[in-house]
């Protein structure tokens, strides 16, 4: 579903990604973990071209998304992204935030967009908050609106970039429950997160990144229980020590 082949990314003289190869199968939940500055978020942003890779290839559902002829708006319907800051429009209700891309990007009528948006808000447990503005919603509710907005475009893959890091601890569970539900429904997901317990429980595969490279990957029980690489061992031992 998602194939990253030999991706490098530099900002000026600073090389952030140093030859990433990553493959994500349909319906797979892949967690990317690693220290701050290891390139995790940059990798996600390259996967839907919020950042342009310096070199390499990225394929989504059989489409070369770096091809100059590709329609980037159509690509972004296939590969949704949920950010740590919810990026909602403050002057729009939850419903309007979800319908905006449906109408502007997907070309849906107002009636059809409203129907899809209501269904998606209901899906994430927010049907009663459709007419609320972001300022009237908790952080967890705002993040669920952001997830509904992404799901409304019927993506093939959803990228989550630290989806719970801006939330109070008691609100994190609601977001993780939505992600569990999506996993059960077969959504392909790539998640950058510090929620190690969730990664251990829910991930099909865990990728450990450091210094712009993939150091190690495998099932959660191997990465968390018996990591092979010293750099992975060091990272996890520090986590356990905190």
């Amino acid at each position: 579903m998602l194939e990253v082949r030999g991706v490098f990314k530099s900002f000026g003289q600073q090389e952030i990604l140093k030859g990433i190869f990553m493959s994500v199968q349909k319906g797979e939940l892949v967690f990317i973990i690693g220290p701050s500055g290891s390139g995790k978020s940059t990798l996600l942003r390259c996967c839907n071209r919020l950042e342009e890779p310096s070199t390499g290839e990225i394929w989504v559902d059989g489409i070369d998304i770096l091809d100059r002829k590709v329609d980037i708006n159509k690509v972004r319907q296939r590969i949704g992204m949920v950010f740590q800051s919810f990026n909602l429009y403050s002057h729009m209700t939850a419903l309007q935030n979800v319908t905006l891309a449906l109408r502007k990007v997907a070309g849906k009528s107002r009636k059809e967009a409203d129907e899809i948006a209501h269904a998606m808000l209901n899906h994430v447990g927010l049907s009663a908050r459709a007419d609320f503005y972001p300022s009237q919603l908790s952080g967890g509710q705002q993040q669920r609106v952001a997830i509904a907005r992404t799901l409304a475009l019927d993506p093939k893959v959803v990228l989550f970039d630290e989806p719970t890091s801006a939330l109070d601890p008691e609100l994190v569970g609601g977001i993780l429950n939505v992600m569990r539900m999506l996993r059960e429904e077969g959504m392909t997901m790539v998640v950058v997160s510090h929620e190690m317990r969730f990664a251990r429980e829910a991930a099909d595969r865990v990728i450990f990144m450091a210094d712009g490279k993939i150091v190690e990957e495998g099932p959660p029980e191997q990465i968390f229980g018996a990591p092979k690489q010293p750099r992975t061992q060091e990272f996890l031992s520090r986590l356990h020590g905190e």
Side-chain angles (χ1 to χ4, degrees):
M1 187 58 77
L2 173 63
E3 190 83 34
V4 177
R5 301 175 186 164
V7 164
F8 288 77
K9 174 64 180 177
S10 297
F11 293 104
Q13 297 298 308
Q14 190 177 13
E15 199 170 45
I16 305 297
L17 299 178
K18 303 172 183 176
I20 300 293
F21 287 83
M22 178 178 77
S23 180
V24 180
Q25 305 306 311
K26 184 178 181 182
E28 197 176 22
L29 172 52
V30 174
F31 250 78
I32 303 176
I33 64 171
S36 297
S38 57
K40 307 182 300 294
S41 292
T42 300
L43 173 58
L44 281 197
R45 293 171 71 85
C46 284
C47 286
N48 76 345
R49 284 186 53 188
L50 285 173
E51 299 286 357
E52 294 288 340
S54 302
T55 57
E57 297 179 27
I58 299 176
W59 294 74
V60 177
D61 195 24
I63 293 172
D64 175 4
I65 70 165
L66 300 180
D67 188 327
R68 290 184 179 180
K69 298 189 289 290
V70 84
D71 181 340
I72 191 59
N73 283 329
K74 285 195 172 163
V75 164
R76 290 196 182 127
Q77 289 180 56
R78 288 171 177 266
I79 184 157
M81 189 153 183
V82 177
F83 302 88
Q84 57 184 350
S85 53
F86 323 120
N87 292 356
L88 300 179
Y89 290 103
S90 60
H91 65 290
M92 292 182 174
T93 64
L95 184 73
Q96 290 168 335
N97 267 283
V98 178
T99 59
L100 183 65
L102 284 166
R103 293 172 59 208
K104 299 289 188 189
V105 178
K108 306 287 187 189
S109 67
R110 183 183 291 274
K111 180 173 181 289
E112 192 179 1
D114 282 355
E115 285 173 0
I116 294 170
H118 276 297
M120 289 303 132
L121 287 170
N122 183 54
H123 202 44
V124 298
L126 282 180
S127 54
R129 299 282 192 275
D131 296 324
F132 284 47
Y133 289 90
S135 62
Q136 298 171 300
L137 300 171
S138 71
Q141 289 169 336
Q142 290 183 60
Q143 188 62 293
R144 281 189 275 158
V145 172
I147 293 171
R149 176 181 59 188
T150 298
L151 296 178
L153 291 171
D154 194 23
K156 303 288 188 182
V157 185
V158 180
L159 311 173
F160 291 86
D161 188 10
E162 301 278 11
T164 59
S165 68
L167 300 179
D168 293 332
E170 68 268 22
L171 300 176
V172 168
I175 301 303
L176 299 185
N177 286 337
V178 170
M179 292 169 73
R180 278 192 190 93
M181 174 185 71
L182 294 176
R183 181 181 187 273
E184 287 165 9
E185 292 169 357
M187 177 59 77
T188 308
M189 296 184 280
V190 183
V191 183
V192 167
S193 178
H194 293 295
E195 298 290 338
M196 298 299 165
R197 184 181 295 176
F198 182 61
R200 193 188 285 256
E201 286 173 15
D204 294 298
R205 190 156 43 96
V206 176
I207 292 173
F208 173 69
M209 280 184 71
D211 306 316
K213 298 177 181 175
I214 291 177
V215 176
E216 184 170 0
E217 62 180 294
E221 56 271 21
Q222 181 218 308
I223 298 297
F224 292 112
K228 294 173 182 171
Q229 298 298 325
R231 187 72 183 80
T232 318
Q233 294 165 5
E234 177 197 353
F235 174 75
L236 291 171
S237 67
R238 280 188 186 171
L239 284 185
H240 295 317
E242 287 177 359

